[in-house]
Amino acid sequence: MPHEPTSARHGSRLQLILRNLPHLLAARDAGSLHRAGDRMGIAQSALSRRIAEVEAELGGPLFERLSTGIRCTSAGADFLTDAAHLMASLDRAIRRFELNRAGEDMTLRIGFNSAAMMFPAMASALSGFRRTHPRCDLRLAAHLTEAQYTFVQEGEIDIGIAYLLRDDLPLQHRVLAEDRIVLALPADHPLALRPLHLSDLDGAPLIDMQRESSGLLAAQVDRRLLEAGIRPDPVMEAGSSEAALNLVAAGLGLAFINRSQSGRCPPNVVMREVHGFHLPLPVAAFWREDAETPLILAFVMGLEEAFSATGAMPKPDRPA
């Protein structure tokens, strides 16, 4: 029997491995053929055969079979790490192709935080993009700033619109506007009736930002307070600006809030600038450079134009 040509042999080998990569990765992540089979919707015996085929093709085991499940061999762990990167790159390539299809129906996934939506420019940018790209389906989803960093990097959303809290963010970005941190306090609080200085907050009851969801911003606030030698009394954490404002309204403490939330203040809550405390919050659009397409750039350009024209926010209330 004649030997299969080298190129054909290589092609069939790659085809076999690529076809089974999702199953191999599922087995690695599950640590069990039974659990991996359930996740992939195939029988354990069928999954075992697929893994054995790839191992035979590679010439060595990817997994050790244990009484409690499976675990990667050293060579298998390296192979599957590279394979996972390959699958992620393939997913990005498919997504980029979809976004580049000129004249066809498209979907653009946009993440935003609550502050971004408080800028009038956001509504202007979205309506303008719909007019110029009527066949593009805009999918909007609200996410906290730090979650958006992860979602953009992992390809779950195409563009994030939120605060730029890291100098080393490995994403392309355009700064659109600037928000800043102010203090929310009850309207009848003594500090609301006069100019507010940073030293006034030493020992004051403070409703803190939730570290789990807003750790970067909370750390910046903490650092500025520490540098000034100010130690408020943290009484609780709030998971959102809305929650913090409601807790302030209930008289449970004071809270640092982004200025753009001034329109959401309960009637008995005011926002005040704190002299000696300056924490600018750039609002930016960000996306992956390796996923950049004309559609993404068109959306970002529309954002820049809209924010340039209408991006100003009203100033917070000040004492009379």
Side-chain angles (χ1 to χ4, degrees):
M1 177 184 291
H3 291 294
E4 186 178 9
T6 302
S7 59
R9 170 68 183 138
H10 181 66
S12 62
R13 186 186 196 206
L14 285 179
Q15 186 177 28
L16 171 67
I17 294 172
L18 287 172
R19 184 173 63 245
N20 288 297
L21 276 186
H23 302 89
L24 300 174
L25 294 171
R28 178 199 66 175
D29 295 340
S32 160
L33 294 182
H34 177 72
R35 287 194 296 270
D38 286 344
R39 292 179 186 177
M40 298 299 294
I42 65 173
Q44 179 178 336
S45 58
L47 177 59
S48 182
R49 284 195 301 273
R50 288 174 179 265
I51 293 174
E53 287 177 355
V54 175
E55 289 177 325
E57 194 64 53
L58 292 172
L62 293 167
F63 300 100
E64 296 177 43
R65 276 67 171 178
L66 309 172
S67 59
T68 55
I70 59 171
R71 71 182 175 197
C72 291
T73 63
S74 177
D78 289 342
F79 173 82
L80 291 173
T81 296
D82 292 340
H85 291 154
L86 174 63
M87 291 294 290
S89 295
L90 183 57
D91 285 340
R92 288 195 298 272
I94 292 171
R95 179 64 185 153
R96 193 167 189 173
F97 175 80
E98 291 172 343
L99 291 175
N100 271 321
R101 291 180 303 175
E104 300 182 34
D105 293 335
M106 298 167 286
T107 299
L108 195 59
R109 303 163 301 175
I110 310 296
F112 61 90
N113 69 353
S114 60
M117 278 304 188
M118 297 301 291
F119 286 82
M122 278 298 298
S124 175
L126 292 171
S127 62
F129 189 81
R130 287 191 182 279
R131 285 194 304 271
T132 57
H133 296 77
R135 300 189 67 179
C136 180
D137 180 18
L138 286 179
R139 302 284 177 88
L140 304 176
H143 299 293
L144 295 174
T145 292
E146 292 170 43
Q148 287 191 55
Y149 297 160
T150 300
F151 292 152
V152 171
Q153 288 175 283
E154 293 181 352
E156 294 187 32
I157 58 178
D158 301 308
I159 303 173
I161 306 171
Y163 293 134
L164 190 62
L165 300 177
R166 288 174 50 186
D167 293 332
D168 61 344
L169 190 66
L171 298 169
Q172 294 287 93
H173 69 270
R174 295 286 188 278
V175 174
L176 304 170
E178 186 176 285
D179 203 352
R180 65 177 179 272
I181 291 292
V182 294
L183 191 75
L185 63 168
D188 59 357
H189 194 286
L191 294 178
L193 306 177
R194 62 175 177 80
L196 184 58
H197 296 273
L198 189 55
S199 58
D200 294 322
L201 302 184
D202 199 31
L206 187 68
I207 298 165
D208 227 339
M209 300 175 188
Q210 192 174 60
R211 263 52 182 175
E212 182 180 355
S213 57
S214 302
L216 291 175
L217 183 54
Q220 292 190 23
V221 171
D222 289 347
R223 184 164 56 252
R224 280 162 174 75
L225 292 174
L226 184 62
E227 289 170 352
I230 304 301
R231 292 175 174 79
D233 177 22
V235 293
M236 64 186 72
E237 290 187 357
S240 67
S241 297
E242 293 86 350
L245 288 170
N246 285 326
L247 292 171
V248 171
L252 299 179
L254 316 179
F256 284 111
I257 296 290
N258 42 318
R259 184 174 66 103
S260 58
Q261 301 298 310
S262 60
R264 294 182 173 180
C265 275
N268 63 330
V269 173
V270 294
M271 290 187 175
R272 295 288 182 261
E273 304 280 357
V274 180
H275 296 291
F277 184 90
H278 181 62
L279 179 52
L281 296 175
V283 178
F286 42 88
W287 65 98
R288 291 180 62 119
E289 184 176 14
D290 61 359
E292 186 175 284
T293 65
L295 186 66
I296 287 176
L297 293 179
F299 185 84
V300 172
M301 183 179 297
L303 284 173
E304 290 182 300
E305 291 173 354
F307 271 84
S308 176
T310 63
M313 289 294 297
K315 294 181 178 180
D317 299 332
R318 295 182 180 275

